[in-house]
Amino acid sequence: MRDVYVVGAAQSKFGTFPNESYRSLFSSAFESAVESVDGDFDRTEVDEAFIGTLGVGGRQLGLSGPAVTEYVGLDGTPCTRVENACAASGVALRQALTSIRAGVSDIAVAGGVEIMTDMSSEQTRYWLGVSGETEWERMAGTTFAGVYAQMASAHMDEYGTTREHLSRVAAKNHGNGAKNPHAHLGFDCSLEDAMEATTIADPLNLYDCCPTSDGASVAILASREVAEELTDSPVRLTGSGQASGTVGLFQRPTITGIPATEDAAEQAYEEAGVGPEDIDFAEVHDCFSIAELMAYEDLGFCEKGEAGPYIASGATEPDGERPVNLSGGLKSKGHPIGATGTGQCAEVFKQLRGEAGDRQVDGLERGLSHNVGGSGGAVAVHIYEEGWA
């Protein structure tokens, strides 16, 4: 199995951009990714591309992958659209990795794009809802905030997780996002403000919920032979895992965690030959504050039921033993559905290369990204290491 390296990665700004299109946002991310490659990168040498998008609003649902890749000069390149709800580009990253490992490609592009802010709130809720269990949950009126509120309530009842534990996620991630020029909500949030915000779906309040965002992200992957010609500061993809879970929350044996995360993480750890204790930092899928807390447990960063005390200890702060969501996470950086997975990859890439600006944490050698679709129906986990194999 061939070694695979990320040789370039970037994202557009995430936010609300009424004057941008999905093509222009993708172009911004793609050109920035090309600029991040150390050597001379020829886009005509890309062998394959995988583009993640849900297609919120119905725009260009058919051939949405080729529609953005042709715009950046890849109109002769085989391109596949990947749709796995919010995990779309995390799965696109896995497909690009697999293509190179299999010898089909030497250079593969993984990316994602979404525009979510140009429609009414009712329309937005509809397009978000299609990633939930349609027959028994969405059509009965359940929203994603409602689904994750059920998870939060169960976690609080079973493990004693508190309002303050949830709010610490928001305060931490806003602190990180305030240092990220690409963040949608790039401002600080005090713990007090996070605790006292307006209720959205009890026990979740406004600061427990990520925004809907426009944006795009791109990662450029290469085999060892090609990477040696393109980069002086390699980032190797050492582990990849993907798992599916039940789409509906009501079908699961537990709602205090996401079983698919455990399964995908187990695959990624085994492939990389490491364990959770070896991960220096992580970008996890914090669509709601409870999602980050559950990720700590499901990824093995702490024991089941210990996520609350774990965040309260400061372990996941930038100066903690394992920083989480240095980018600001979905909560602050934003969540353009199709762009989130490779956006996480871009942050890990920058941190491992020492290029994350004011939010850089020194001494990081191994990172993890965790991308969830819906309430856990699809999960992709990747592990990255600095340096050559």
Side-chain angles (χ1 to χ4, degrees), residues 68-268:
V68 295
T69 53
E70 70 178 13
Y71 192 72
V72 296
L74 299 180
D75 46 293
T77 304
C79 179
T80 302
R81 175 199 176 196
V82 178
E83 192 284 295
N84 238 345
C86 314
S89 62
V91 175
L93 180 67
R94 178 173 165 85
Q95 293 301 307
L97 170 70
T98 301
S99 178
I100 295 174
R101 282 178 169 177
V104 174
S105 305
D106 284 312
I107 302 176
V109 165
V113 62
E114 210 75 61
I115 289 183
M116 306 177 67
T117 66
D118 64 345
M119 63 189 72
S120 70
S121 58
E122 288 186 1
Q123 289 173 308
T124 301
R125 283 195 296 272
Y126 170 82
W127 281 99
L128 289 171
V130 299
S131 296
E133 205 289 325
T134 301
E135 186 175 8
W136 295 103
E137 289 184 350
R138 185 179 69 80
M139 296 301 289
T142 303
T143 64
F144 270 119
V147 167
Y148 276 91
Q150 293 177 61
M151 293 177 166
S153 293
H155 206 278
M156 296 168 93
D157 289 344
E158 186 166 347
Y159 299 122
T161 304
T162 67
R163 168 72 265 160
E164 181 175 328
H165 293 146
L166 294 172
S167 294
R168 282 185 177 275
V169 174
K172 170 181 68 69
N173 291 352
H174 272 279
N176 293 337
K179 300 176 182 177
N180 186 350
H182 291 92
H184 186 169
L185 304 179
F187 54 82
D188 280 312
C189 163
S190 70
L191 180 60
E192 182 180 8
D193 286 344
M195 292 182 67
E196 296 179 355
T198 301
T199 298
I200 300 298
D202 190 48
L204 302 182
N205 67 33
L206 181 64
Y207 275 108
D208 291 310
C209 310
C210 73
T212 55
S213 311
D214 306 332
S217 59
V218 169
I220 301 170
L221 277 56
S223 64
R224 171 69 183 256
E225 295 77 13
V226 174
E228 288 176 345
E229 300 175 2
L230 292 177
T231 185
D232 302 318
S233 185
V235 172
R236 184 162 63 108
L237 271 165
T238 58
S240 176
Q242 181 183 342
S244 297
T246 63
V247 177
L249 198 63
F250 70 93
Q251 298 167 296
R252 295 183 195 161
T254 177
I255 62 170
T256 58
I258 294 178
T261 293
E262 295 186 48
D263 294 341
E266 183 179 357
Q267 295 171 35

Side-chain angles (χ1 to χ4, degrees), residues 250-319:
F250 70 93
Q251 298 167 296
R252 295 183 195 161
T254 177
I255 62 170
T256 58
I258 294 178
T261 293
E262 295 186 48
D263 294 341
E266 183 179 357
Q267 295 171 35
Y269 289 140
E270 182 176 357
E271 198 170 81
V274 301
E277 68 278 3
D278 299 308
I279 302 301
D280 295 328
F281 72 109
E283 288 287 308
V284 308
H285 198 94
D286 61 318
C287 50
F288 298 91
S289 56
I290 186 61
E292 178 165 328
L293 296 181
M294 292 191 301
Y296 296 164
E297 299 171 4
D298 295 337
L299 292 167
F301 295 162
C302 65
E303 296 297 322
K304 284 291 185 183
E306 293 299 314
Y310 187 65
I311 193 170
S313 74
T316 59
E317 296 283 348
D319 59 354

